Amino acid sequence: MKQYEEKLVIKSCDRLLHQEFELRPLERSDAEGMFAIMSDKEAMKYWSTEPQTSMSQTLETMKKYIEDDSQVSTSSWAIQLPKQDRRFVGWITFFGFKKGICELGYALNREFWGQKIMTKALTLATNDAFERYKIHRMEAQLHPDNVASKNVLLKLGFAVEGYQRLNFYRSGRFEDTLLMAKLRLPHDSL
């Protein structure tokens, strides 16, 4: 069995090209686009925090995604649409790298929902992460009512592994989450 490092410190990612978009490293200049998503109540309906009300909150959030901090292990991509003035429309983040396991987070500007952009972007990004970082297991936690996100992950080969009761605190109360995961290799071949 492969030995995995206790913790990978990841800070950069390559540009990944698709005919409809580009995945590139997240930059401070993406703050306006990120704020447009993070301040949108509908887009943040199932997010881990309340919608943001100021650009300073978004800039603070971005620090953990892009600043050089050896205590943080993340790999974050901006989703940029080259056909539309190179517009930032969302992001994908891999975090919590530890012993071959990482977590996945993502968000897309509501204007682009239903266009399969996130499904295609996540396919490209997750394939790259499995190969580049030799990830064994990728996890995502989502609100049980977030059917669109669940369906995207199912299309990517993630499986529902469990329902975690009241394990997430948001808006002054505990909420449930759905745990989904994808393995690099089938269980039997480990």
Side-chain angles (χ1 to χ4, degrees):
M1 180 180 276
K2 180 173 174 49
Q3 292 296 316
Y4 292 98
E5 294 181 39
E6 179 66 28
K7 181 177 181 181
L8 283 173
V9 177
I10 307 294
K11 284 316 252 181
S12 63
C13 58
D14 291 335
R15 290 178 182 272
L16 300 175
L17 300 176
H18 184 277
Q19 63 186 11
E20 298 174 35
F21 56 84
E22 175 182 358
L23 297 181
R24 60 159 175 78
L26 192 63
E27 303 167 350
R28 279 184 69 84
S29 61
D30 297 322
E32 188 175 316
M34 186 176 268
F35 179 67
I37 297 168
M38 297 201 81
S39 63
D40 180 339
K41 289 181 182 178
E42 186 65 22
M44 294 291 101
K45 183 176 181 178
Y46 300 120
W47 197 252
S48 58
T49 62
E50 293 295 317
Q52 295 184 349
T53 57
S54 71
M55 181 63 78
S56 62
Q57 288 175 304
T58 301
L59 289 170
E60 195 62 35
T61 299
M62 290 185 81
K63 281 184 182 181
K64 67 182 172 185
Y65 293 143
I66 61 176
E67 286 190 0
D68 185 18
D69 177 353
S70 62
Q71 300 304 308
V72 177
S73 57
T74 63
S75 180
S76 300
W77 278 287
I79 304 169
Q80 180 174 286
L81 300 182
K83 295 179 182 177
Q84 298 185 352
D85 300 323
R86 304 189 62 72
R87 182 174 174 191
F88 171 92
V89 297
W91 71 93
I92 298 169
T93 300
F94 299 100
F95 59 98
F97 288 87
K98 187 173 181 180
K99 291 196 179 250
I101 299 171
C102 76
E103 294 183 56
L104 168 66
Y106 51 91
L108 186 67
N109 185 304
R110 188 162 36 122
E111 181 181 336
F112 297 93
W113 288 3
Q115 298 178 32
K116 300 187 182 186
I117 291 171
M118 187 55 78
T119 300
K120 294 172 186 175
L122 281 171
T123 298
L124 195 60
T126 57
N127 288 343
D128 182 78
F130 273 113
E131 185 59 34
R132 175 191 312 263
Y133 307 127
K134 306 301 183 214
I135 299 299
H136 159 69
R137 175 186 170 85
M138 193 175 292
E139 300 177 346
Q141 290 189 43
L142 53 147
H143 193 283
D145 295 338
N146 192 345
V147 176
S149 191
K150 177 182 174 183
N151 288 338
V152 166
L153 293 172
L154 288 171
K155 287 177 191 172
L156 269 74
F158 280 71
V160 174
E161 292 193 338
Y163 190 82
Q164 300 174 97
R165 296 181 314 149
L166 304 175
N167 73 319
F168 188 77
Y169 190 78
R170 179 191 144 138
S171 303
R173 64 184 184 153
F174 285 98
E175 296 184 359
D176 300 335
T177 60
L178 192 63
L179 176 63
M180 297 183 71
K182 181 176 181 177
L183 300 178
R184 176 184 171 95
L185 300 169
H187 180 69
D188 293 340
S189 63
L190 293 178

PDB file of all heavy atoms in Angstrom, residues 17-45:
ATOM      1  N   LEU A  17      -6.971  23.971 -19.474  1.00  0.00           N
ATOM      2  CA  LEU A  17      -7.807  24.556 -20.520  1.00  0.00           C
ATOM      3  C   LEU A  17      -8.913  23.609 -20.967  1.00  0.00           C
ATOM      4  O   LEU A  17      -8.708  22.408 -21.094  1.00  0.00           O
ATOM      5  CB  LEU A  17      -6.943  24.926 -21.721  1.00  0.00           C
ATOM      6  CG  LEU A  17      -5.831  25.933 -21.463  1.00  0.00           C
ATOM      7  CD1 LEU A  17      -4.997  26.126 -22.725  1.00  0.00           C
ATOM      8  CD2 LEU A  17      -6.391  27.256 -20.987  1.00  0.00           C
ATOM      9  N   HIS A  18     -10.057  24.191 -21.204  1.00  0.00           N
ATOM     10  CA  HIS A  18     -11.219  23.504 -21.754  1.00  0.00           C
ATOM     11  C   HIS A  18     -11.733  24.426 -22.855  1.00  0.00           C
ATOM     12  O   HIS A  18     -11.494  25.636 -22.806  1.00  0.00           O
ATOM     13  CB  HIS A  18     -12.273  23.315 -20.649  1.00  0.00           C
ATOM     14  CG  HIS A  18     -13.470  22.542 -21.069  1.00  0.00           C
ATOM     15  ND1 HIS A  18     -14.532  23.098 -21.728  1.00  0.00           N
ATOM     16  CD2 HIS A  18     -13.782  21.228 -20.912  1.00  0.00           C
ATOM     17  CE1 HIS A  18     -15.445  22.179 -21.953  1.00  0.00           C
ATOM     18  NE2 HIS A  18     -15.020  21.030 -21.467  1.00  0.00           N
ATOM     19  N   GLN A  19     -12.438  23.910 -23.820  1.00  0.00           N
ATOM     20  CA  GLN A  19     -12.907  24.767 -24.908  1.00  0.00           C
ATOM     21  C   GLN A  19     -13.858  25.861 -24.439  1.00  0.00           C
ATOM     22  O   GLN A  19     -13.980  26.899 -25.084  1.00  0.00           O
ATOM     23  CB  GLN A  19     -13.556  23.943 -26.013  1.00  0.00           C
ATOM     24  CG  GLN A  19     -14.806  23.207 -25.572  1.00  0.00           C
ATOM     25  CD  GLN A  19     -15.338  22.281 -26.651  1.00  0.00           C
ATOM     26  OE1 GLN A  19     -14.684  22.034 -27.648  1.00  0.00           O
ATOM     27  NE2 GLN A  19     -16.539  21.778 -26.439  1.00  0.00           N
ATOM     28  N   GLU A  20     -14.511  25.666 -23.305  1.00  0.00           N
ATOM     29  CA  GLU A  20     -15.488  26.646 -22.822  1.00  0.00           C
ATOM     30  C   GLU A  20     -14.975  27.533 -21.693  1.00  0.00           C
ATOM     31  O   GLU A  20     -15.596  28.534 -21.373  1.00  0.00           O
ATOM     32  CB  GLU A  20     -16.739  25.921 -22.333  1.00  0.00           C
ATOM     33  CG  GLU A  20     -17.442  25.139 -23.418  1.00  0.00           C
ATOM     34  CD  GLU A  20     -18.594  24.323 -22.860  1.00  0.00           C
ATOM     35  OE1 GLU A  20     -19.258  24.792 -21.920  1.00  0.00           O
ATOM     36  OE2 GLU A  20     -18.814  23.207 -23.361  1.00  0.00           O
ATOM     37  N   PHE A  21     -13.885  27.154 -21.047  1.00  0.00           N
ATOM     38  CA  PHE A  21     -13.388  27.908 -19.905  1.00  0.00           C
ATOM     39  C   PHE A  21     -11.930  27.565 -19.660  1.00  0.00           C
ATOM     40  O   PHE A  21     -11.367  26.664 -20.286  1.00  0.00           O
ATOM     41  CB  PHE A  21     -14.210  27.612 -18.637  1.00  0.00           C
ATOM     42  CG  PHE A  21     -14.250  26.153 -18.296  1.00  0.00           C
ATOM     43  CD1 PHE A  21     -13.222  25.561 -17.573  1.00  0.00           C
ATOM     44  CD2 PHE A  21     -15.301  25.362 -18.707  1.00  0.00           C
ATOM     45  CE1 PHE A  21     -13.251  24.214 -17.271  1.00  0.00           C
ATOM     46  CE2 PHE A  21     -15.337  24.008 -18.411  1.00  0.00           C
ATOM     47  CZ  PHE A  21     -14.303  23.440 -17.690  1.00  0.00           C
ATOM     48  N   GLU A  22     -11.360  28.276 -18.710  1.00  0.00           N
ATOM     49  CA  GLU A  22      -9.995  28.002 -18.263  1.00  0.00           C
ATOM     50  C   GLU A  22     -10.017  27.910 -16.752  1.00  0.00           C
ATOM     51  O   GLU A  22     -10.706  28.678 -16.080  1.00  0.00           O
ATOM     52  CB  GLU A  22      -9.082  29.148 -18.700  1.00  0.00           C
ATOM     53  CG  GLU A  22      -7.671  29.037 -18.201  1.00  0.00           C
ATOM     54  CD  GLU A  22      -6.799  30.226 -18.616  1.00  0.00           C
ATOM     55  OE1 GLU A  22      -7.284  31.117 -19.330  1.00  0.00           O
ATOM     56  OE2 GLU A  22      -5.642  30.247 -18.199  1.00  0.00           O
ATOM     57  N   LEU A  23      -9.279  26.952 -16.215  1.00  0.00           N
ATOM     58  CA  LEU A  23      -9.042  26.901 -14.775  1.00  0.00           C
ATOM     59  C   LEU A  23      -7.641  27.451 -14.573  1.00  0.00           C
ATOM     60  O   LEU A  23      -6.693  26.999 -15.212  1.00  0.00           O
ATOM     61  CB  LEU A  23      -9.122  25.471 -14.247  1.00  0.00           C
ATOM     62  CG  LEU A  23     -10.462  24.757 -14.380  1.00  0.00           C
ATOM     63  CD1 LEU A  23     -10.377  23.361 -13.778  1.00  0.00           C
ATOM     64  CD2 LEU A  23     -11.564  25.543 -13.719  1.00  0.00           C
ATOM     65  N   ARG A  24      -7.518  28.423 -13.704  1.00  0.00           N
ATOM     66  CA  ARG A  24      -6.224  29.054 -13.440  1.00  0.00           C
ATOM     67  C   ARG A  24      -6.124  29.349 -11.961  1.00  0.00           C
ATOM     68  O   ARG A  24      -7.129  29.336 -11.244  1.00  0.00           O
ATOM     69  CB  ARG A  24      -6.074  30.326 -14.264  1.00  0.00           C
ATOM     70  CG  ARG A  24      -7.156  31.346 -13.959  1.00  0.00           C
ATOM     71  CD  ARG A  24      -6.761  32.745 -14.353  1.00  0.00           C
ATOM     72  NE  ARG A  24      -7.857  33.670 -14.153  1.00  0.00           N
ATOM     73  CZ  ARG A  24      -8.224  34.175 -12.984  1.00  0.00           C
ATOM     74  NH1 ARG A  24      -7.610  33.814 -11.868  1.00  0.00           N
ATOM     75  NH2 ARG A  24      -9.219  35.040 -12.889  1.00  0.00           N
ATOM     76  N   PRO A  25      -4.893  29.627 -11.478  1.00  0.00           N
ATOM     77  CA  PRO A  25      -4.771  29.947 -10.053  1.00  0.00           C
ATOM     78  C   PRO A  25      -5.654  31.141  -9.663  1.00  0.00           C
ATOM     79  O   PRO A  25      -5.782  32.108 -10.417  1.00  0.00           O
ATOM     80  CB  PRO A  25      -3.290  30.293  -9.899  1.00  0.00           C
ATOM     81  CG  PRO A  25      -2.626  29.569 -11.019  1.00  0.00           C
ATOM     82  CD  PRO A  25      -3.609  29.606 -12.164  1.00  0.00           C
ATOM     83  N   LEU A  26      -6.267  31.031  -8.512  1.00  0.00           N
ATOM     84  CA  LEU A  26      -7.081  32.106  -7.969  1.00  0.00           C
ATOM     85  C   LEU A  26      -6.182  33.287  -7.624  1.00  0.00           C
ATOM     86  O   LEU A  26      -5.086  33.099  -7.104  1.00  0.00           O
ATOM     87  CB  LEU A  26      -7.797  31.597  -6.713  1.00  0.00           C
ATOM     88  CG  LEU A  26      -8.914  32.425  -6.128  1.00  0.00           C
ATOM     89  CD1 LEU A  26     -10.079  32.539  -7.102  1.00  0.00           C
ATOM     90  CD2 LEU A  26      -9.399  31.783  -4.837  1.00  0.00           C
ATOM     91  N   GLU A  27      -6.633  34.511  -7.926  1.00  0.00           N
ATOM     92  CA  GLU A  27      -5.838  35.719  -7.694  1.00  0.00           C
ATOM     93  C   GLU A  27      -6.665  36.753  -6.930  1.00  0.00           C
ATOM     94  O   GLU A  27      -7.894  36.738  -6.976  1.00  0.00           O
ATOM     95  CB  GLU A  27      -5.420  36.332  -9.040  1.00  0.00           C
ATOM     96  CG  GLU A  27      -4.644  35.392  -9.927  1.00  0.00           C
ATOM     97  CD  GLU A  27      -4.522  35.906 -11.360  1.00  0.00           C
ATOM     98  OE1 GLU A  27      -5.196  36.889 -11.728  1.00  0.00           O
ATOM     99  OE2 GLU A  27      -3.748  35.301 -12.115  1.00  0.00           O
ATOM    100  N   ARG A  28      -5.978  37.676  -6.285  1.00  0.00           N
ATOM    101  CA  ARG A  28      -6.671  38.765  -5.566  1.00  0.00           C
ATOM    102  C   ARG A  28      -7.580  39.554  -6.498  1.00  0.00           C
ATOM    103  O   ARG A  28      -8.611  40.063  -6.081  1.00  0.00           O
ATOM    104  CB  ARG A  28      -5.670  39.704  -4.894  1.00  0.00           C
ATOM    105  CG  ARG A  28      -5.144  39.174  -3.569  1.00  0.00           C
ATOM    106  CD  ARG A  28      -4.230  40.184  -2.889  1.00  0.00           C
ATOM    107  NE  ARG A  28      -4.906  41.367  -2.398  1.00  0.00           N
ATOM    108  CZ  ARG A  28      -5.523  41.475  -1.233  1.00  0.00           C
ATOM    109  NH1 ARG A  28      -5.567  40.433  -0.430  1.00  0.00           N
ATOM    110  NH2 ARG A  28      -6.093  42.591  -0.864  1.00  0.00           N
ATOM    111  N   SER A  29      -7.206  39.647  -7.756  1.00  0.00           N
ATOM    112  CA  SER A  29      -8.018  40.404  -8.713  1.00  0.00           C
ATOM    113  C   SER A  29      -9.382  39.740  -8.963  1.00  0.00           C
ATOM    114  O   SER A  29     -10.262  40.336  -9.586  1.00  0.00           O
ATOM    115  CB  SER A  29      -7.267  40.586 -10.035  1.00  0.00           C
ATOM    116  OG  SER A  29      -6.985  39.328 -10.612  1.00  0.00           O
ATOM    117  N   ASP A  30      -9.574  38.533  -8.461  1.00  0.00           N
ATOM    118  CA  ASP A  30     -10.861  37.836  -8.589  1.00  0.00           C
ATOM    119  C   ASP A  30     -11.843  38.226  -7.485  1.00  0.00           C
ATOM    120  O   ASP A  30     -12.966  37.710  -7.438  1.00  0.00           O
ATOM    121  CB  ASP A  30     -10.645  36.319  -8.548  1.00  0.00           C
ATOM    122  CG  ASP A  30      -9.808  35.819  -9.704  1.00  0.00           C
ATOM    123  OD1 ASP A  30      -9.973  36.339 -10.822  1.00  0.00           O
ATOM    124  OD2 ASP A  30      -8.977  34.909  -9.483  1.00  0.00           O
ATOM    125  N   ALA A  31     -11.436  39.116  -6.609  1.00  0.00           N
ATOM    126  CA  ALA A  31     -12.254  39.467  -5.437  1.00  0.00           C
ATOM    127  C   ALA A  31     -13.641  39.976  -5.822  1.00  0.00           C
ATOM    128  O   ALA A  31     -14.639  39.598  -5.196  1.00  0.00           O
ATOM    129  CB  ALA A  31     -11.529  40.487  -4.567  1.00  0.00           C
ATOM    130  N   GLU A  32     -13.736  40.794  -6.829  1.00  0.00           N
ATOM    131  CA  GLU A  32     -15.039  41.335  -7.220  1.00  0.00           C
ATOM    132  C   GLU A  32     -15.990  40.212  -7.672  1.00  0.00           C
ATOM    133  O   GLU A  32     -17.144  40.169  -7.277  1.00  0.00           O
ATOM    134  CB  GLU A  32     -14.867  42.360  -8.334  1.00  0.00           C
ATOM    135  CG  GLU A  32     -16.144  43.103  -8.661  1.00  0.00           C
ATOM    136  CD  GLU A  32     -15.920  44.204  -9.679  1.00  0.00           C
ATOM    137  OE1 GLU A  32     -14.922  44.946  -9.560  1.00  0.00           O
ATOM    138  OE2 GLU A  32     -16.759  44.321 -10.592  1.00  0.00           O
ATOM    139  N   GLY A  33     -15.461  39.296  -8.487  1.00  0.00           N
ATOM    140  CA  GLY A  33     -16.268  38.163  -8.938  1.00  0.00           C
ATOM    141  C   GLY A  33     -16.642  37.236  -7.799  1.00  0.00           C
ATOM    142  O   GLY A  33     -17.752  36.703  -7.746  1.00  0.00           O
ATOM    143  N   MET A  34     -15.708  37.040  -6.864  1.00  0.00           N
ATOM    144  CA  MET A  34     -15.989  36.185  -5.714  1.00  0.00           C
ATOM    145  C   MET A  34     -17.033  36.845  -4.804  1.00  0.00           C
ATOM    146  O   MET A  34     -17.942  36.171  -4.311  1.00  0.00           O
ATOM    147  CB  MET A  34     -14.709  35.881  -4.935  1.00  0.00           C
ATOM    148  CG  MET A  34     -14.924  34.878  -3.816  1.00  0.00           C
ATOM    149  SD  MET A  34     -13.413  34.431  -2.952  1.00  0.00           S
ATOM    150  CE  MET A  34     -12.930  32.998  -3.899  1.00  0.00           C
ATOM    151  N   PHE A  35     -16.921  38.157  -4.622  1.00  0.00           N
ATOM    152  CA  PHE A  35     -17.899  38.864  -3.803  1.00  0.00           C
ATOM    153  C   PHE A  35     -19.297  38.770  -4.418  1.00  0.00           C
ATOM    154  O   PHE A  35     -20.295  38.607  -3.706  1.00  0.00           O
ATOM    155  CB  PHE A  35     -17.504  40.322  -3.604  1.00  0.00           C
ATOM    156  CG  PHE A  35     -18.496  41.107  -2.789  1.00  0.00           C
ATOM    157  CD1 PHE A  35     -18.687  40.833  -1.442  1.00  0.00           C
ATOM    158  CD2 PHE A  35     -19.256  42.105  -3.373  1.00  0.00           C
ATOM    159  CE1 PHE A  35     -19.619  41.535  -0.680  1.00  0.00           C
ATOM    160  CE2 PHE A  35     -20.182  42.825  -2.625  1.00  0.00           C
ATOM    161  CZ  PHE A  35     -20.363  42.537  -1.284  1.00  0.00           C
ATOM    162  N   ALA A  36     -19.375  38.821  -5.754  1.00  0.00           N
ATOM    163  CA  ALA A  36     -20.672  38.700  -6.424  1.00  0.00           C
ATOM    164  C   ALA A  36     -21.337  37.367  -6.067  1.00  0.00           C
ATOM    165  O   ALA A  36     -22.563  37.306  -5.906  1.00  0.00           O
ATOM    166  CB  ALA A  36     -20.498  38.823  -7.934  1.00  0.00           C
ATOM    167  N   ILE A  37     -20.556  36.330  -5.926  1.00  0.00           N
ATOM    168  CA  ILE A  37     -21.099  35.019  -5.554  1.00  0.00           C
ATOM    169  C   ILE A  37     -21.371  34.953  -4.060  1.00  0.00           C
ATOM    170  O   ILE A  37     -22.454  34.561  -3.622  1.00  0.00           O
ATOM    171  CB  ILE A  37     -20.126  33.893  -5.964  1.00  0.00           C
ATOM    172  CG1 ILE A  37     -19.948  33.874  -7.484  1.00  0.00           C
ATOM    173  CG2 ILE A  37     -20.626  32.539  -5.448  1.00  0.00           C
ATOM    174  CD1 ILE A  37     -18.797  33.009  -7.954  1.00  0.00           C
ATOM    175  N   MET A  38     -20.388  35.368  -3.248  1.00  0.00           N
ATOM    176  CA  MET A  38     -20.499  35.213  -1.794  1.00  0.00           C
ATOM    177  C   MET A  38     -21.507  36.158  -1.145  1.00  0.00           C
ATOM    178  O   MET A  38     -21.904  35.951  -0.008  1.00  0.00           O
ATOM    179  CB  MET A  38     -19.124  35.345  -1.158  1.00  0.00           C
ATOM    180  CG  MET A  38     -18.185  34.239  -1.641  1.00  0.00           C
ATOM    181  SD  MET A  38     -16.804  33.951  -0.578  1.00  0.00           S
ATOM    182  CE  MET A  38     -17.573  32.916   0.664  1.00  0.00           C
ATOM    183  N   SER A  39     -21.932  37.176  -1.871  1.00  0.00           N
ATOM    184  CA  SER A  39     -22.951  38.085  -1.330  1.00  0.00           C
ATOM    185  C   SER A  39     -24.349  37.727  -1.835  1.00  0.00           C
ATOM    186  O   SER A  39     -25.335  38.314  -1.407  1.00  0.00           O
ATOM    187  CB  SER A  39     -22.614  39.533  -1.703  1.00  0.00           C
ATOM    188  OG  SER A  39     -22.634  39.702  -3.119  1.00  0.00           O
ATOM    189  N   ASP A  40     -24.450  36.760  -2.725  1.00  0.00           N
ATOM    190  CA  ASP A  40     -25.714  36.335  -3.317  1.00  0.00           C
ATOM    191  C   ASP A  40     -26.393  35.332  -2.374  1.00  0.00           C
ATOM    192  O   ASP A  40     -25.905  34.216  -2.178  1.00  0.00           O
ATOM    193  CB  ASP A  40     -25.435  35.706  -4.684  1.00  0.00           C
ATOM    194  CG  ASP A  40     -26.682  35.233  -5.406  1.00  0.00           C
ATOM    195  OD1 ASP A  40     -27.734  35.003  -4.765  1.00  0.00           O
ATOM    196  OD2 ASP A  40     -26.605  35.070  -6.635  1.00  0.00           O
ATOM    197  N   LYS A  41     -27.514  35.717  -1.808  1.00  0.00           N
ATOM    198  CA  LYS A  41     -28.205  34.860  -0.836  1.00  0.00           C
ATOM    199  C   LYS A  41     -28.584  33.501  -1.416  1.00  0.00           C
ATOM    200  O   LYS A  41     -28.488  32.481  -0.730  1.00  0.00           O
ATOM    201  CB  LYS A  41     -29.452  35.558  -0.295  1.00  0.00           C
ATOM    202  CG  LYS A  41     -29.137  36.697   0.628  1.00  0.00           C
ATOM    203  CD  LYS A  41     -30.382  37.353   1.157  1.00  0.00           C
ATOM    204  CE  LYS A  41     -29.987  38.524   2.047  1.00  0.00           C
ATOM    205  NZ  LYS A  41     -31.149  39.241   2.553  1.00  0.00           N
ATOM    206  N   GLU A  42     -29.003  33.470  -2.663  1.00  0.00           N
ATOM    207  CA  GLU A  42     -29.384  32.194  -3.283  1.00  0.00           C
ATOM    208  C   GLU A  42     -28.155  31.309  -3.518  1.00  0.00           C
ATOM    209  O   GLU A  42     -28.196  30.108  -3.278  1.00  0.00           O
ATOM    210  CB  GLU A  42     -30.119  32.442  -4.605  1.00  0.00           C
ATOM    211  CG  GLU A  42     -30.665  31.185  -5.235  1.00  0.00           C
ATOM    212  CD  GLU A  42     -31.755  30.496  -4.418  1.00  0.00           C
ATOM    213  OE1 GLU A  42     -32.416  31.140  -3.579  1.00  0.00           O
ATOM    214  OE2 GLU A  42     -31.942  29.285  -4.627  1.00  0.00           O
ATOM    215  N   ALA A  43     -27.059  31.901  -3.965  1.00  0.00           N
ATOM    216  CA  ALA A  43     -25.826  31.137  -4.201  1.00  0.00           C
ATOM    217  C   ALA A  43     -25.239  30.613  -2.889  1.00  0.00           C
ATOM    218  O   ALA A  43     -24.604  29.562  -2.862  1.00  0.00           O
ATOM    219  CB  ALA A  43     -24.793  31.993  -4.934  1.00  0.00           C
ATOM    220  N   MET A  44     -25.444  31.328  -1.806  1.00  0.00           N
ATOM    221  CA  MET A  44     -24.894  30.942  -0.501  1.00  0.00           C
ATOM    222  C   MET A  44     -25.896  30.173   0.360  1.00  0.00           C
ATOM    223  O   MET A  44     -25.628  29.881   1.523  1.00  0.00           O
ATOM    224  CB  MET A  44     -24.420  32.188   0.265  1.00  0.00           C
ATOM    225  CG  MET A  44     -23.247  32.892  -0.388  1.00  0.00           C
ATOM    226  SD  MET A  44     -21.714  31.935  -0.300  1.00  0.00           S
ATOM    227  CE  MET A  44     -21.631  31.230  -1.943  1.00  0.00           C
ATOM    228  N   LYS A  45     -27.034  29.826  -0.213  1.00  0.00           N
ATOM    229  CA  LYS A  45     -28.098  29.156   0.539  1.00  0.00           C
ATOM    230  C   LYS A  45     -27.597  27.917   1.285  1.00  0.00           C
ATOM    231  O   LYS A  45     -28.000  27.655   2.412  1.00  0.00           O
ATOM    232  CB  LYS A  45     -29.219  28.769  -0.426  1.00  0.00           C
ATOM    233  CG  LYS A  45     -30.416  28.132   0.232  1.00  0.00           C
ATOM    234  CD  LYS A  45     -31.502  27.872  -0.794  1.00  0.00           C
ATOM    235  CE  LYS A  45     -32.721  27.261  -0.146  1.00  0.00           C
ATOM    236  NZ  LYS A  45     -33.789  27.059  -1.145  1.00  0.00           N
TER     237      LYS A  45
END
